[in-house]
Amino acid sequence: MTSANQVKKNGNIRAKSQVKILTAARTEFVLQGYRGATVQSIADRAEMPKANILYYFKNKENIYHAVLEHTLEMWDEGIGDIEADKGPKVAIEKFIEAKVRMSFKHPEASKIYAMEIIQGAPHLKDYARTYQRQWVREKAKLFQQWIDNGEMANVDPVHLIFLIWSATQHYADFETQILTIMNRADFEEDDVQQVITFLCDIILRGCGLIK
Amino acid sequence: MTSANQVKKNGNIRAKSQVKILTAARTEFVLQGYRGATVQSIADRAEMPKANILYYFKNKENIYHAVLEHTLEMWDEGIGDIEADKGPKVAIEKFIEAKVRMSFKHPEASKIYAMEIIQGAPHLKDYARTYQRQWVREKAKLFQQWIDNGEMANVDPVHLIFLIWSATQHYADFETQILTIMNRADFEEDDVQQVITFLCDIILRGCGLIK
DNA sequence: GTCTATATGCTGATAGAC
DNA sequence: GTCTATCAGCATATAGAC
C-alpha cells in the first residue's frame, strides 16, 4: 500500500469517526446541555471508547465548538437566502417554506442553537454581532424598499424577520410540546405542508401581500 | 415569645430563604443548565452557605422542581386567559399584549420553560399532556366558533395559538440575540410597546380582523 | 437554624501498552 | 489508531458541632 493510499484510508477513518462523534455529541448536548453531556455519554452514543473521542477532539469544549460550527453551516446552507428578485410575496413564501422544512428535518440543529442563545450565547456573541446583524440590516433594507414602493404594508422589517424566525423555529425547538398537545407520535409530510400553508397565509395577509 | 410567634417568625425566615434560593436557582439554571448549575453556585448567588440550601430543599432536583413549579405558576397568573366575551379582536390583542409584557418582564421564566421543552420536557410531560392540551383544545374551539360565525378568517386555530406563543416568547428566550442584532444594551418601554403594536398589527390582519 | 468537615462517586483528561 | 488503567479535581450530599 502506497503512502498516499495510507493517508487517504486514515483520512477516511478520521472523517467517518469525526462525523459519528459530532452526530452523537449533538444529540447529547441537546438532551443534557453542555455540562450534562459527558464525554462518556457521547462515547456510548457513538459506540466508541471514551479515549477515542478525546483522541479525535482533544477535549470536550472542542467537541462543542465543532458541533456548533457544523450545525450552523448546515442550517444556513439548508435555508438559503431571501431572494430579492421576485418581489416580497415570493421572497417571504420561499423563506418561510425553507425554514419550516429545515425545522422539521433537522430539529436538533435549531435546538442546539436555541439553547446556546437562551443561555446568553457564550460561544456565539461574535456570530450575532457580525454576521447576523449584517444579514438582518440587509434584509430589513430590502423590505423597507418594498414598503416604500407600496408593494407591501408598512410593518417593521426587523420585527418581521424576528416573527418569521420564531414562528418557524418553534416547530423544531418545541417539537415535544407540539407533538404532545396534538397527541401525535411523529410529524408527517401533511403536517409540514399544513404549517407552511398556515404561516404563509397569516404572514402574507399580515403584510398586505394577499387579500 | 409565645410558641405561635416562634412558628410565625421561623416561617418567615423559611419563606424568605426559600424565595431567595429559588430566585438564585432560576438564574443559575438558565445560565448553566440543570447539570451546570451547582448547589455551590446557587448558594453563592443567594449569598448563603451551601449547607443551608440543602437544608431547605434536601437535594438539587427538589430545587429544580420547585423552580419549575414556581415559574409556571407565576407565568400563568401573569398572562391570564383568553377572554371570550369581547370577540376575537380584543381577545387576541389582550392575549398578545399580556404575553409580550411578561416576556420582557420575566424573560427567565420563559427561558427555563423553553430549555425544559427543548430537552424533551423530562419534568413536564404530564403538564403538556393534561393541562396544556386541554387549554389548547378549549381555545381552539372558541376560535373555531368565531370562524364559523364569520367573525374572523379561516385559519387553523391550533397553529394560531402556536404562532402567538412563539412570536411573543421569542422576545424572552432570544433576548440576547435580539439585543445584539438591534445593537442595544437594554429594552425600554417603547420597545415593548412597539413589539405589541407590530405583532397585533400583523396577526390581527393575518386573521382578517383589521383591514 | 447555621455552618464546617468530610464521605463518596463521577468528571475530564492523560499515560502508555498494544 | 485503539483501548485500558488511572489520576486529580469537583460534584452532591450527609454528619454532627455550635
Side-chain angles (χ1 to χ4, degrees):
Chain A
M1 190 181 271
T2 67
S3 160
N5 277 340
Q6 185 67 47
V7 166
K8 196 167 182 185
K9 187 184 167 189
N10 289 346
N12 274 337
I13 288 174
R14 175 165 281 270
K16 277 187 186 174
S17 293
Q18 284 181 340
V19 168
K20 220 166 143 189
I21 292 166
L22 288 179
T23 304
R26 182 162 48 228
T27 303
E28 280 300 311
F29 284 132
V30 168
L31 288 176
Q32 313 287 346
Y34 176 75
R35 196 68 172 286
T38 65
V39 178
Q40 185 63 61
S41 72
I42 294 170
D44 290 347
R45 190 175 288 273
E47 293 176 298
M48 287 183 193
K50 182 174 78 161
N52 294 30
I53 309 290
L54 290 164
Y55 167 72
Y56 281 115
F57 284 96
K58 190 172 156 69
N59 62 41
K60 184 175 161 179
E61 228 204 307
N62 282 1
I63 305 176
Y64 185 68
H65 274 132
V67 165
L68 259 189
E69 209 169 308
H70 195 255
T71 302
L72 285 186
E73 235 171 71
M74 190 259 283
W75 188 260
D76 280 351
E77 272 176 28
I79 303 291
D81 213 335
I82 292 182
E83 308 280 355
D85 50 352
K86 288 183 182 152
K89 182 165 173 289
V90 172
I92 293 175
E93 240 168 20
K94 293 283 172 217
F95 189 62
I96 290 175
E97 172 162 3
K99 287 221 53 153
V100 171
R101 288 207 178 279
M102 280 299 276
S103 288
F104 280 100
K105 198 172 177 185
H106 298 289
E108 282 186 336
S110 183
K111 283 180 188 182
I112 209 156
Y113 179 75
M115 295 207 22
E116 173 67 19
I117 301 296
I118 290 174
Q119 301 200 356
H123 301 86
L124 283 179
K125 277 265 163 71
D126 287 342
Y127 179 76
R129 187 150 34 219
T130 57
Y131 174 77
Q132 228 173 24
R133 189 191 283 168
Q134 196 49 44
W135 188 90
V136 169
R137 286 202 180 151
E138 232 173 72
K139 301 313 162 191
K141 194 183 276 184
L142 180 61
F143 284 131
Q144 194 56 55
Q145 286 171 358
W146 282 329
I147 292 167
D148 294 342
N149 287 343
E151 292 182 65
M152 59 183 283
N154 182 25
V155 295
D156 185 303
V158 172
H159 288 293
L160 177 58
I161 292 169
F162 293 157
L163 172 63
I164 296 173
W165 280 354
S166 62
T168 53
Q169 287 165 204
H170 187 71
Y171 289 92
D173 304 338
F174 286 68
E175 185 189 16
T176 310
Q177 172 177 276
I178 291 172
L179 283 170
T180 304
I181 287 175
M182 292 176 75
N183 197 17
R184 301 280 296 274
D186 289 294
F187 294 119
E188 293 165 32
E189 170 59 25
D190 279 0
D191 299 309
V192 181
Q193 195 52 59
Q194 199 190 345
V195 170
I196 294 170
T197 304
F198 168 81
L199 285 179
C200 285
D201 195 44
I202 289 257
I203 293 175
L204 290 179
R205 200 179 307 124
C207 293
L209 288 166
I210 54 175
K211 203 214 57 58
Chain B
M1 193 180 267
T2 67
S3 161
N5 277 340
Q6 185 66 49
V7 165
K8 195 166 181 184
K9 188 184 167 191
N10 289 344
N12 274 338
I13 290 175
R14 174 165 281 269
K16 277 187 186 175
S17 294
Q18 285 182 339
V19 168
K20 221 167 144 189
I21 292 166
L22 289 179
T23 305
R26 182 163 48 227
T27 303
E28 281 301 310
F29 284 132
V30 168
L31 289 176
Q32 313 286 346
Y34 176 75
R35 192 69 173 284
T38 65
V39 177
Q40 185 63 61
S41 71
I42 294 170
D44 291 347
R45 191 175 287 274
E47 294 177 299
M48 285 184 197
K50 182 174 75 161
N52 295 28
I53 309 290
L54 290 164
Y55 166 73
Y56 281 116
F57 284 97
K58 189 173 157 67
N59 62 42
K60 185 174 159 178
E61 229 204 305
N62 282 1
I63 305 177
Y64 184 69
H65 274 131
V67 165
L68 259 189
E69 209 168 310
H70 194 255
T71 303
L72 286 186
E73 234 170 72
M74 190 260 280
W75 187 260
D76 280 352
E77 271 175 30
I79 303 292
D81 213 336
I82 293 183
E83 307 280 355
D85 49 352
K86 286 181 184 155
K89 180 164 175 291
V90 173
I92 293 175
E93 242 168 18
K94 291 286 170 211
F95 189 62
I96 290 175
E97 171 162 4
K99 286 220 55 151
V100 170
R101 290 208 177 276
M102 280 299 276
S103 288
F104 280 99
K105 198 172 178 187
H106 298 291
E108 284 187 334
S110 183
K111 284 180 186 181
I112 208 155
Y113 180 75
M115 292 187 57
E116 173 67 20
I117 301 296
I118 290 173
Q119 301 201 354
H123 301 86
L124 283 179
K125 278 263 162 72
D126 286 344
Y127 179 77
R129 187 148 35 217
T130 58
Y131 173 76
Q132 229 174 22
R133 189 191 282 168
Q134 196 49 45
W135 188 91
V136 169
R137 286 202 179 151
E138 231 172 72
K139 302 312 164 193
K141 194 182 276 185
L142 180 60
F143 284 132
Q144 194 56 54
Q145 286 172 358
W146 282 328
I147 292 168
D148 293 342
N149 287 343
E151 293 183 64
M152 59 183 283
N154 182 24
V155 296
D156 185 303
V158 172
H159 289 292
L160 177 59
I161 292 169
F162 293 157
L163 172 64
I164 296 173
W165 279 354
S166 62
T168 53
Q169 286 164 205
H170 187 71
Y171 289 92
D173 303 338
F174 286 70
E175 186 189 15
T176 310
Q177 172 176 277
I178 291 172
L179 283 169
T180 304
I181 287 175
M182 293 177 74
N183 197 16
R184 301 279 296 274
D186 288 294
F187 294 118
E188 293 165 32
E189 170 58 23
D190 279 359
D191 299 310
V192 181
Q193 195 53 58
Q194 199 191 344
V195 171
I196 293 170
T197 304
F198 168 81
L199 286 179
C200 286
D201 195 43
I202 288 256
I203 293 175
L204 290 179
R205 200 180 306 123
C207 292
L209 288 166
I210 54 176
K211 205 215 54 63

